[in-house]
Amino acid sequence: MRPYGLPRAARSRCSRRSQEGEARNMSSDQQYPYGQQQPYPEQQPYPEQQPYPHQQYQDPYQQPVYDSGATQTWEAETWDTQYQPVVHPAQPVHPAAPEAAYLPPQAAYPLPPEAPAPEPEPAAAYAPPAADGYSAPTTLGNARITDAQRARAEGRSPIIPPGMQPAGLTAALGMLFAVCAAVGPYALLVPLVLLQALTAAGWFRLNGMWPARQGIALAFAGGLAADAVLLSVGREHAPAAIIGTLGVWVLLTLVLQLRSHAGADERMYGLMATVASAALAILATGHLAAAEDAVVIGGIAVAVTVLARALPLPGVASVLLTLLASAGAGIAGGGLTGIGAEGALLGLVAGVCALVGLRVASYDYPSRFVHLTAGVALPLTAAAPAVYLIGRALV
């Protein structure tokens, strides 16, 4: 019986193959003992890679600039006008030709010369007004000068009288003083308070300070305080009441201006305007302190004076006519009150004070608001001291 069921030739071939395999295994074990690994084939180095195109990108705003000298210089702008560094024009560098970056420096471009500063144009001299009445300030319309300065430049007077309408209001207020004074001191408070309010508001606007509500209110309050003090202490203590109230209001105004956060010049202007306005409003209380007959004569004299001054007459003739009218009004008022002809002195002095008040209200191109406030109130306010002092001497 044949082993494994195979023919003899097949078994011989199988045995021969197994012997050859054992022989190869023995030779391999002898050459590489146990625990050692057959080395890997030697690795070849990778070929050198070419750089990508984006690695050679150069910022066009930062081109390499090379200087032929050995020292380095500041390549940015400098404030030194004596020396400016040599700036070479940038040369484009092609990626395939890196040696193009080492080009020799080119010639430097000199800085342009500085342009001379323009000389200021000389101020235009004042040109006299032409025959047609129009001058340079009128036609050009310079907005940086005031109306008074423009009037002076054009040869016109900066004084504009209030006119007939404010004069009519002053005359009505003066006659109201005369009527209320004949009634009693408390009736006289009505026109007096109105006079003090117009004085406070008109003085601030006359000085170019508007709006000035705080200053106007403070000055008007000073006038009311003087009225209250005078009524409480009586006419025999009128000087002490008026001067004392004025001193307190000056101190109060000074304290308020020191607390202001405005500039030094503005605070000084505000202090002077407030003190003057308060002084005038308190000074108007003299009508309340004067005798009733003196107030009647003074009110009539001021009313006639302002009406005569508003007439369209030449300057000297207008002044003479006004003084004569005021003296005649004093005589008429003296006849009504029993003082007689002595009232002419009171009327004349009251008329002069009224003219001073009109002159102040007419100064420096005032507005219509000034004419209807200061132009109405200042003639009567300025006449208050004369009414009080001369009235005490006559009555």
Side-chain angles (χ1 to χ4, degrees), residues 45-320:
Y46 291 100
E48 184 177 358
Q49 298 180 357
Q50 295 294 332
Y52 291 101
H54 73 274
Q55 295 179 353
Q56 295 183 357
Y57 171 75
Q58 295 184 1
D59 192 353
Y61 296 99
Q62 295 181 357
Q63 296 293 343
V65 180
Y66 298 92
D67 194 0
S68 59
T71 59
Q72 296 182 356
T73 59
W74 182 258
E75 299 296 340
E77 296 180 0
T78 177
W79 290 102
D80 188 3
T81 59
Q82 301 296 331
Y83 169 76
Q84 290 290 342
V86 179
V87 180
H88 306 290
Q91 297 293 336
V93 180
H94 195 273
E99 63 276 3
Y102 300 93
L103 294 176
Q106 303 295 330
Y109 296 98
L111 293 176
E114 296 183 358
E119 298 181 358
E121 297 181 0
Y126 165 70
D132 54 358
Y134 293 95
S135 60
T138 303
T139 56
L140 296 180
N142 190 354
R144 294 187 178 182
I145 63 176
T146 62
D147 293 336
Q149 293 173 345
R150 183 179 294 108
R152 293 188 183 97
E154 295 174 357
R156 297 184 286 111
S157 174
I159 305 299
I160 296 181
M164 184 56 71
Q165 184 178 1
L169 295 176
T170 304
L173 187 59
M175 296 304 295
L176 185 61
F177 263 87
V179 173
C180 293
V183 174
Y186 289 97
L188 187 59
L189 281 176
V190 177
L192 180 59
V193 170
L194 180 59
L195 176 65
Q196 290 170 336
L198 292 176
T199 302
W203 185 261
F204 271 92
R205 186 62 185 90
L206 185 62
N207 286 268
M209 303 181 66
W210 188 267
R213 300 182 182 90
Q214 182 179 0
I216 294 173
L218 183 61
F220 179 60
L224 295 181
D227 298 340
V229 172
L230 182 60
L231 289 176
S232 62
V233 300
R235 291 179 178 177
E236 59 273 10
H237 301 289
I242 295 176
I243 296 175
T245 305
L246 181 59
V248 171
W249 243 251
V250 169
L251 181 61
L252 180 60
T253 304
L254 181 61
V255 172
L256 291 178
Q257 290 297 327
L258 289 177
R259 292 174 57 87
S260 176
H261 298 285
D265 294 340
E266 186 176 353
R267 282 188 293 177
M268 181 59 67
Y269 296 152
L271 175 63
M272 298 304 297
T274 307
V275 169
S277 180
L280 290 174
I282 294 173
L283 193 65
T285 312
H287 289 290
L288 188 61
E292 290 84 355
D293 294 341
V295 176
V296 172
I297 296 175
I300 296 174
V302 171
V304 174
T305 300
V306 294
L307 289 176
R309 182 59 175 165
L311 295 177
L313 297 174
V316 178
S318 177
V319 172
L320 293 177

